[in-house]
């Protein structure tokens, strides 16, 4: 018996996938209609979280944030079965994941944070990636069942909260990437580049293939054999800014990047590889 709390797009599709695999799923959502909609697929909906978790061996969550997770778990806890395991897929702070792991252990329950890089479509077809860290014996116990819900379970070791930190890192990349695409589209508008021309370029040129090599280059610590000098990258960046300004088009990300480049040029690094702008940010 499984309970699932939080019937947003991700949670709803997780539930549908679980039912298709033969699981009995009890569901709850703050907006009750989202839970009752799952009854058409075979779920059993409840009006309060404590009733939804009664008899459940596993209690899954996909909620908004740390505060909502803490609030819902507190409300549901009266119905927890002894030995039930809480599996939280919510994107939260790393500190919050650590605190909940400790707090629920002290109350006699197991809390496992398992955030995901999965959209609603992934949840429905059990693809994408699920992240875990913490108690390795517990993870070994849960991994066979978690792997049925996703394409790959990525284990980041024994440190509680590490999976939450990795999820935040990945989401930062996605936010930055999408914001960069937004600026690119702004430049397209300024330069009268049509969408079909954008798609023609990206169907032939895949900059995504450069992510891993670029990351290695940025973190290698050597910048004296440039493939693109910082001065030249800054020159091109000014061309972006000028073209947008001439047409009154807003760029959100590029001005901050230009400012960072200027800071490094002022320190005397203009002739080095432009990836030097990451030098002070490299983790151990």
């Amino acid at each position: 018996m499984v309970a699932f709390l939080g019937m947003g797009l991700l949670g709803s599709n997780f539930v549908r996938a679980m039912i298709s695999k033969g699981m009995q799923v009890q569901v709850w959502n703050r907006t009750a209609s989202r839970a009752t909609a799952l009854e058409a697929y075979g779920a059993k909906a409840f009006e309060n979280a404590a009733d939804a978790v009664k008899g459940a061996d596993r209690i899954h969550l996909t909620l908004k944030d740390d505060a909502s997770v803490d609030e819902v778990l507190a409300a549901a806890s009266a119905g927890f079965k002894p030995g039930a395991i809480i599996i939280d897929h919510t994107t939260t702070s790393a500190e919050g994941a650590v605190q909940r792991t400790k707090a629920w252990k002290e109350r006699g329950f197991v809390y496992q944070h398992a955030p995901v890089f999965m959209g609603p479509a992934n949840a429905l077809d059990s693809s994408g990636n699920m992240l875990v860290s913490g108690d390795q014996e517990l993870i070994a116990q849960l991994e066979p069942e978690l792997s049925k819900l996703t394409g790959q379970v990525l284990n980041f070791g024994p440190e509680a909260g590490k999976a939450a930190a990795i999820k935040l890192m990945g989401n930062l990349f996605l936010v930055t990437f999408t914001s960069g695409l937004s600026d690119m589209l702004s430049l397209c508008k300024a330069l009268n580049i049509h969408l079909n021309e954008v798609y023609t370029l990206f169907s032939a040129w895949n900059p995504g293939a450069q992510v891993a090599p670029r990351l290695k280059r940025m973190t290698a610590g050597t910048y004296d054999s440039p493939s693109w000098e910082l001065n030249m990258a800054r020159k091109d960046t000014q061309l972006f800014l000028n073209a947008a300004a001439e047409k009154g088009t807003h760029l959100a990300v590029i001005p901050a990047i230009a400012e960072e480049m200027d800071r490094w040029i002022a320190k005397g690094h203009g002739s080095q590889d432009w990836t030097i702008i990451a030098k002070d940010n490299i983790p151990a």
Side-chain angles (χ1 to χ4, degrees):
M1 179 69 71
V2 174
F4 212 114
L5 310 178
M7 294 295 100
L9 294 175
L10 191 65
S12 295
N13 279 359
F14 264 130
V15 168
R16 289 175 59 188
M18 288 175 170
I19 292 169
S20 73
K21 294 174 174 61
M23 299 182 192
Q24 292 179 288
V25 188
Q26 302 178 167
V27 299
W28 170 89
N29 193 74
R30 195 183 305 273
T31 302
S33 60
R34 291 186 177 180
T36 55
L38 274 296
E39 291 188 323
Y41 298 95
K44 187 174 181 180
F46 290 83
E47 292 186 1
N48 66 75
D51 287 338
V53 302
K54 286 180 179 177
D57 300 297
R58 303 287 185 266
I59 301 159
H60 292 258
L61 302 90
T62 53
L63 300 170
K64 180 182 177 182
D65 51 21
D66 287 285
S68 61
V69 171
D70 289 336
E71 178 186 350
V72 170
L73 286 178
S77 61
F80 285 172
K81 173 183 177 179
I85 296 176
I86 304 161
I87 303 173
D88 183 9
H89 305 292
T90 308
T91 298
T92 69
S93 67
E95 181 182 3
V98 172
Q99 290 176 343
R100 277 184 290 278
T101 302
K102 182 175 182 291
W104 285 105
K105 183 176 181 179
E106 290 173 350
R107 294 182 62 174
F109 296 97
V110 173
Y111 171 92
Q112 177 62 54
H113 194 219
V116 298
F117 287 115
M118 298 170 66
N122 300 116
L124 188 59
D125 64 17
S126 302
S127 61
N129 295 283
M130 186 176 292
L131 319 180
V132 292
S133 68
D135 185 331
Q136 293 297 289
E137 289 187 8
L138 172 64
I139 289 171
Q141 175 189 344
L142 293 178
E143 190 164 3
E145 56 192 88
L146 294 180
S147 65
K148 296 177 182 178
L149 305 179
T150 186
Q152 186 175 17
V153 177
L154 300 175
N155 185 349
F156 287 95
E159 182 181 340
K162 179 65 72 174
I166 297 291
K167 177 64 194 298
L168 292 179
M169 175 197 72
N171 275 13
L172 182 147
F173 177 84
L174 292 176
V175 168
T176 305
F177 175 73
T178 303
S179 299
L181 286 177
S182 178
D183 270 11
M184 183 197 74
L185 292 172
S186 292
L187 184 62
C188 289
K189 185 181 292 187
L191 295 175
N192 197 32
I193 298 169
H194 300 287
L195 272 180
N196 65 310
E197 295 167 326
V198 175
Y199 290 128
T200 296
L201 173 63
F202 284 102
S203 66
W205 174 55
N206 177 19
Q210 300 178 29
V211 172
R214 181 62 53 84
L215 183 60
K216 289 182 179 179
R217 173 96 192 217
M218 293 176 75
T219 57
T222 56
Y223 309 98
D224 293 331
S225 298
S227 61
W228 196 15
E229 287 187 359
L230 177 58
N231 283 328
M232 297 302 291
R234 179 63 179 90
K235 180 267 296 182
D236 286 6
T237 301
Q238 192 60 46
L239 291 174
F240 314 152
L241 292 166
N242 291 347
E246 287 171 6
K247 298 294 184 179
T249 301
H250 174 69
L251 297 178
V253 178
I254 290 298
I257 295 173
E259 183 178 335
E260 184 66 6
M261 289 177 168
D262 287 341
R263 188 172 75 86
W264 282 91
I265 290 171
K267 295 195 313 186
H269 298 286
S271 63
Q272 293 182 293
D273 193 88
W274 80 290
T275 58
I276 199 168
I277 64 173
K279 182 179 179 180
D280 292 345
N281 304 325
I282 300 171

